[in-house]
Amino acid sequence: MPVEYIERIREKYETLGYGAYQWVFNADTPPWHPLSKPLSECRLGLVASGGIYVSRQVAFHYRDDTSLLAIPMDVPTSELRATHFAYDLTDARQDPNVVFPIDTLRGLVGEGVIGSLAANAYTFMGGIYSSRRVQEEMAPRVTECLSAEEVDAVLFVPA
Amino acid sequence: MTSALDITQAVNPPRAAFLDYPLGHTTGKPHQPILQREILLAALAGFSSLTAPGTVNMLPFKWSDDRAWQETAQRGPDDRRPRYATPQYQHQEDRDRAEAHVSAVQFTG
């Protein structure tokens, strides 16, 4: 059986004496847009919340950071860094592809599985406590960036 | 993609691919490009194979033969870091480069 993270965090908060975290529960049927063409003809976007930045960019902080970074899809993998308060960074720092599959995606474009990639991937650091700020501040910015990139589909990778 | 099935089911996105790996490995194990490729191919297949909104594609990969990591993730110690309000760099060199870059931008206006 998969790890029950909601239960795990409920127990943690109780132990710490915090109030219960208000999880987002979307009961409505989600919106649905079938791909209009094969993936091999699509421009794919990438959004990742594992705290990936490029050395020379201002790194994320750990207290509800809602900033969004644009990372060129042709970035040298050796310049990618990982920072996050809530997961073990050991492997992501050895190989960012475990939470930011940049080499994997570039390889699949080379093979013709994916048509092309957007010019930039977008990254942030998850674990933002306020779902309202994510919905009202961050999500519209992500949508705007992806629309400007004219993507056909997007891969979201949390960490 | 997701490695936290219950949270994803609560959020209820149009399409998802669940990989039952420890957090921090949503798209594979480090330095295993062949495995990373297989995982991504299986996840991307959902763009054509999933036809009902809210479906989670359960990917057929296992982290290990035993369940030790799941036990630790469910019941182990709290390993989260403090929620610092200042940028947390992987290397001091990153901080130096970022601060030099910001200064240069300010200087040139």
Side-chain angles (χ1 to χ4, degrees), chain A residues 7-84:
Chain A
E7 176 61 15
R8 162 76 166 165
I9 290 164
R10 192 192 63 74
E11 286 170 4
K12 270 186 195 172
Y13 276 33
E14 207 171 87
T15 309
L16 293 166
Y18 296 173
Y21 183 71
Q22 299 298 310
W23 292 93
V24 173
F25 283 94
N26 291 317
D28 295 347
T29 303
W32 187 253
H33 299 284
L35 276 194
S36 56
K37 50 191 172 182
L39 192 59
S40 59
E41 294 171 23
C42 287
R43 182 193 304 276
L44 187 71
L46 172 63
V47 178
S49 65
I52 297 294
Y53 67 97
V54 182
S55 178
R56 81 170 172 273
Q57 289 179 325
V58 175
F60 298 100
H61 65 76
Y62 291 176
R63 188 174 295 171
D64 288 351
D65 190 341
T66 55
S67 57
L68 193 65
L69 292 178
I71 297 188
M73 288 280 204
D74 60 358
V75 65
T77 310
S78 61
E79 292 183 10
L80 293 171
R81 306 287 185 263
T83 189
H84 202 293

Side-chain angles (χ1 to χ4, degrees), chain A residues 85-143:
Chain A
F85 76 99
Y87 75 91
D88 184 342
L89 294 162
T90 312
D91 287 343
R93 288 181 168 180
Q94 284 182 23
D95 179 7
N97 286 288
V98 299
V99 291
F100 187 74
I102 187 70
D103 292 318
T104 326
L105 288 174
R106 290 191 285 226
L108 292 176
V109 170
E111 287 182 50
V113 174
I114 299 166
S116 62
L117 301 176
N120 297 288
Y122 294 90
T123 63
F124 58 101
M125 202 210 67
I128 300 160
Y129 275 16
S130 168
S131 58
R132 182 191 59 78
R133 287 186 65 191
V134 173
Q135 286 184 22
E136 294 177 7
E137 296 174 25
M138 175 169 267
R141 267 188 283 139
V142 173
T143 308

Side-chain angles (χ1 to χ4, degrees), chain A residues 1 4-6 8 26 33 53 55 60 62 82-85 87 91 95 97-98 111 127 156 158-159, chain B residues 1 6 10-12 15 24-27 31 36-37 67 73-74 76 81 83-84 86 88 90-91 94 97:
Chain A
M1 198 174 74
E4 294 177 329
Y5 287 102
I6 291 178
R8 162 76 166 165
N26 291 317
H33 299 284
Y53 67 97
S55 178
F60 298 100
Y62 291 176
T83 189
H84 202 293
F85 76 99
Y87 75 91
D91 287 343
D95 179 7
N97 286 288
V98 299
E111 287 182 50
F156 284 86
Chain B
M1 298 190 70
D6 57 348
V11 172
N12 196 19
R15 304 172 180 83
H25 305 88
T26 324
T27 47
H31 300 303
Q36 292 169 359
R37 175 182 174 278
R67 293 188 43 84
Q74 192 72 61
R81 284 162 287 282
R83 294 172 70 89
Y84 304 109
T86 52
Q88 299 297 306
Q90 181 172 331
H91 300 300
D94 300 341
R97 293 183 72 186

